[in-house]
Amino acid sequence: MSLKNSNDIDEERAMFIKLPSSGNDAAEIVVADDNSSDDSVLLPDDIAKKHSALDAVITRIGMGKFQKQLLVLCGLGWLADNMWLQCVAVILPRVQRHFDLPNSLIGALSSSLFTGMMFGALFWGVLSDTHGRKQAFNWTLAVTTFFGIIASFAQSFFQLCFMLFLLGFGVGGNMPVDGALFLEFIPKEHQYLLTFMSVFFSFGAVLSSVLAYFILPPNSCPEDVTCDVFEENNGWRYMLAILGSLTFLMLICRILFFQLQESPKYLISRNRKHDAVLVLRKIAKINGNNMQIQASDFPTPANTTNPRNSSFPFPNETQHTKIEFISDPISYIKYKISLNSEEVMSLFTRKWFMTTILVWCIWTLVSFAYTMFNVFLPKYLESLGLNNGKSDSLMQDVLQDYVVYSLCGVPGSLAGAWLIETFLGRIGTMSTATFGTAFSVFLFSAVKSHSSEIISSAMVSFLATLNYAVIYGYTPEVFESKVRGTACGIASAFGRVAGIIAPIVTGVLLSISVSVPLYVSALLFAAAGVCIVLLPIETKGRQA
């Protein structure tokens, strides 16, 4: 069989079936059925058998040029995620000065971004499970680029918050979509690279911090000095425009310089065996591997149900289905709702209930604790600087300390990629890092000198980044392909909800004492560590 362009796969063959109706003409449904020999619906055991065969084929293809390019491009998506998060943290005081906002309102800036990321994580995660990973992979960065650049022209605080909400909607899909996509293309023995990929996440923080160090001080109004904010306080605009341009370059790399294929595991879960074979042949060719891959490499299901003979008005969700919206919009909407709800409800079956609840609790607690510390770190550093009489060039000093803090997260990602393959495994590494982060935050709250503050904050950065690196890798590993995008998307959404609430709670606690939010952050990290210890599934050595 000759290789075909991946864009043509969904257009190869089609059949038409009619929906039963009472009195009205039936709606026409187009089912892209390029699997003429196996167009029946797969049962869970059949999917497992095909996935086992697929894992063997992916191992035979090996870790080649395709996977290495995908590692970099998915990594850039993770870099964009943290790059924008850190950007908002460093420009927040400048935006407050520009629009003359009280402390009670400025938290809306970061909350707008987190709100958008929450909806984005849900939307893109579910979309990747129902319509494939490929579409979401490209569109997340496209949306981020557009609204990132538009945000730099905001003329009011409300406009800026709205643009950051839409920006967050785009960038919020990077973590669940990119992680799931990369994981499904690599052999089992290389799954540690998903944790390694979090080094890009760390570099996102470093990039924003370094750019802020050079851009903000000369283009921002100095502390306690009267100036024309419309002429002298545009550094935050430059930051948004530059990061938007960098995100656009990442998008160009994805579209023009890489032939992304749809995930074979997604195709198998949709009973599109022949499509999966085409994709695998394409990957093997890119890697320079001339191995033969046939549809017969995957077992034919023994027990199936045929959607043509089913009385259910829609094909099973394992079919790649397109319902014509024009002919019957109500049926179309009902189908989409039922399709997405089934994906979510499958996470609460006996098999996944414990894991689902614990993973979502971990994401929520860690995100809440980390946001309480990280978003307000410049304020903590500024407070310490003022107490030590460092009012001169305070902005540059704080940004310099923030660069050091960000840099210390890079080795945390590398350490995580190594530790998960040791006797600690995923769960042992996560729990150690989480309890260590709790101790480091408590230590930071007790320090009195600048050097001690640098050391303790560096410990927080190293351990928290290590912890996040493993969490980001463990979550898509532990869930099966059919619900992976949905599970990761909802987990990420819970993290974003925590990110929305945390700044508000922290602002209230800061009115009591600077140390109170730090104590709460330490306790939340410790609670997350307990949840990690209770996780029932260790994914070390297991094919995702």
Side-chain angles (χ1 to χ4, degrees), residues 134-147:
K134 185 175 178 179
Q135 295 185 53
F137 184 73
N138 289 328
W139 276 104
T140 50
L141 285 189
V143 173
T144 304
T145 296
F146 180 78
F147 290 108

Side-chain angles (χ1 to χ4, degrees), residues 111-132:
S111 293
S112 298
L113 180 68
F114 275 110
T115 303
M117 295 178 87
M118 176 194 68
F119 286 107
L122 286 170
F123 176 81
W124 299 111
V126 173
L127 182 73
S128 71
D129 279 341
T130 56
H131 291 76

Side-chain angles (χ1 to χ4, degrees), residues 86-94 205-220 223 235-236 239 377-379 381-382 390 392-407 450 453-454:
Q86 299 301 322
C87 172
V88 171
V90 295
I91 70 171
L92 191 145
R94 314 286 75 80
V206 173
L207 180 59
S208 284
S209 301
V210 171
L211 286 175
Y213 180 77
F214 288 105
I215 293 173
L216 290 181
N219 297 288
S220 302
E223 294 83 1
W236 64 273
M239 282 288 295
L377 180 59
K379 186 173 183 65
L381 295 173
E382 182 177 331
K390 294 168 53 181
D392 295 336
S393 66
L394 180 60
M395 184 194 311
Q396 194 154 9
D397 291 338
V398 168
L399 290 173
Q400 180 177 307
D401 289 347
Y402 206 75
V403 170
V404 174
Y405 169 80
S406 301
L407 282 170
H450 183 255
E453 162 260 309
I454 291 293

Side-chain angles (χ1 to χ4, degrees), residues 80-325:
D81 187 292
N82 205 26
M83 177 178 74
W84 285 104
L85 284 174
Q86 299 301 322
C87 172
V88 171
V90 295
I91 70 171
L92 191 145
R94 314 286 75 80
V95 171
Q96 182 176 15
R97 179 73 182 273
H98 194 94
F99 295 109
D100 192 24
L101 300 169
N103 291 331
S104 58
L105 287 181
I106 191 59
L109 193 68
S110 56
S111 293
S112 298
L113 180 68
F114 275 110
T115 303
M117 295 178 87
M118 176 194 68
F119 286 107
L122 286 170
F123 176 81
W124 299 111
V126 173
L127 182 73
S128 71
D129 279 341
T130 56
H131 291 76
R133 320 292 194 216
K134 185 175 178 179
Q135 295 185 53
F137 184 73
N138 289 328
W139 276 104
T140 50
L141 285 189
V143 173
T144 304
T145 296
F146 180 78
F147 290 108
I149 294 176
I150 293 297
S152 65
F153 296 98
Q155 296 302 307
S156 68
F157 183 65
F158 174 78
Q159 288 181 12
L160 181 60
C161 287
F162 184 65
M163 290 300 109
L164 288 183
F165 167 80
L166 296 175
L167 181 154
F169 181 81
V171 78
N174 284 324
M175 298 304 294
V177 173
D178 296 3
L181 180 71
F182 177 71
L183 188 64
E184 294 176 358
F185 278 105
I186 58 175
K188 177 177 65 176
E189 58 270 20
H190 290 89
Q191 284 182 189
Y192 70 91
L193 288 174
L194 184 61
T195 300
F196 169 80
M197 199 165 74
S198 63
V199 72
F200 288 92
F201 190 78
S202 300
F203 276 122
V206 173
L207 180 59
S208 284
S209 301
V210 171
L211 286 175
Y213 180 77
F214 288 105
I215 293 173
L216 290 181
N219 297 288
S220 302
C221 292
E223 294 83 1
D224 303 323
V225 176
T226 302
C227 70
D228 184 355
V229 293
F230 296 102
E231 295 292 334
E232 304 175 55
N233 194 62
N234 290 312
W236 64 273
R237 295 188 187 274
Y238 302 151
M239 282 288 295
L240 292 172
I242 290 172
L243 294 190
S245 300
L246 290 176
T247 308
F248 178 70
L249 292 178
M250 298 176 197
L251 176 63
I252 293 298
C253 289
R254 286 188 173 188
I255 296 176
L256 297 184
F257 304 119
F258 184 66
Q259 292 179 299
L260 177 64
Q261 307 298 309
E262 186 54 84
S263 163
K265 290 193 174 182
Y266 167 80
L267 295 173
I268 287 292
S269 70
R270 278 355 189 205
N271 198 19
R272 299 169 62 191
K273 183 169 70 174
H274 290 288
D275 287 354
V277 169
L278 291 175
V279 168
L280 292 168
R281 288 178 177 177
K282 185 79 171 180
I283 297 171
K285 182 178 180 180
I286 293 173
N287 286 355
N289 190 328
N290 295 322
M291 63 179 289
Q292 296 297 315
I293 305 172
Q294 306 294 337
S296 58
D297 292 339
F298 305 99
T300 301
N303 299 311
T304 60
T305 59
N306 195 315
R308 296 187 184 95
N309 300 324
S310 174
S311 61
F312 188 69
F314 298 109
N316 187 282
E317 78 279 5
T318 55
Q319 295 290 341
H320 179 66
T321 308
K322 297 178 182 178
I323 302 178
E324 289 192 357
F325 178 80

